[in-house]
Amino acid sequence: MGKTIFVKGLAWGLEINPDEVCSPTFVLVSPHEGRLPLYHVDLYRIENPGEIFDLGLEEYLDSGAVVAVEWGEKLPADLKEGALEVRFTDLGQGSRRIAVRRIANTHWE
């Protein structure tokens, strides 16, 4: 649907060769070094939410790196806080709609 192409664009903006970016489906996390580090994460194969914490995403998020997560709906709410959510909608005939929103504070107050 364009998720990896979108991450290639992020890579280009971070001065990373976009040709180095591919879908991380089988490795789960693909690190790339550029102006800022980029971690390309694919949670598609994650079935147990506890596995997400084993990936070390909290460390990546706290480091100031750019973390692009495919299948981000599988992330625990506290890891989504303050993130940008990018949604792709297939409009047919090779067209897509891209919607972007910031995820607000997810904690009850």
Side-chain angles (χ1 to χ4, degrees), residues 7 9-10 12-14 29 32 34 36 55 66 74 76-78 81 89 92:
V7 176
L10 286 176
W12 179 81
L14 294 170
V29 179
H32 302 280
L36 291 173
L55 297 175
V66 175
K74 294 185 175 192
D78 59 332
E81 188 174 317
T89 304

Side-chain angles (χ1 to χ4, degrees), residues 76-96:
D78 59 332
L79 292 182
K80 294 181 186 180
E81 188 174 317
L84 292 178
E85 177 182 62
V86 180
R87 291 213 173 242
F88 298 87
T89 304
D90 186 351
L91 301 176
Q93 300 178 344
S95 294
R96 308 280 188 275

Side-chain angles (χ1 to χ4, degrees), residues 27-92:
V27 293
L28 300 179
V29 179
S30 294
H32 302 280
E33 288 299 323
R35 191 167 39 85
L36 291 173
L38 169 65
Y39 294 95
H40 187 192
V41 181
D42 190 330
L43 300 180
Y44 178 75
R45 295 185 315 125
I46 297 289
E47 294 180 18
N48 177 351
E51 294 177 78
I52 292 170
F53 292 102
D54 294 339
L55 297 175
L57 294 183
E58 290 176 286
E59 187 176 311
Y60 304 146
L61 294 167
D62 291 341
S63 73
V66 175
V67 182
V69 180
E70 296 187 26
W71 300 93
E73 60 272 12
K74 294 185 175 192
L75 279 174
D78 59 332
L79 292 182
K80 294 181 186 180
E81 188 174 317
L84 292 178
E85 177 182 62
V86 180
R87 291 213 173 242
F88 298 87
T89 304
D90 186 351
L91 301 176

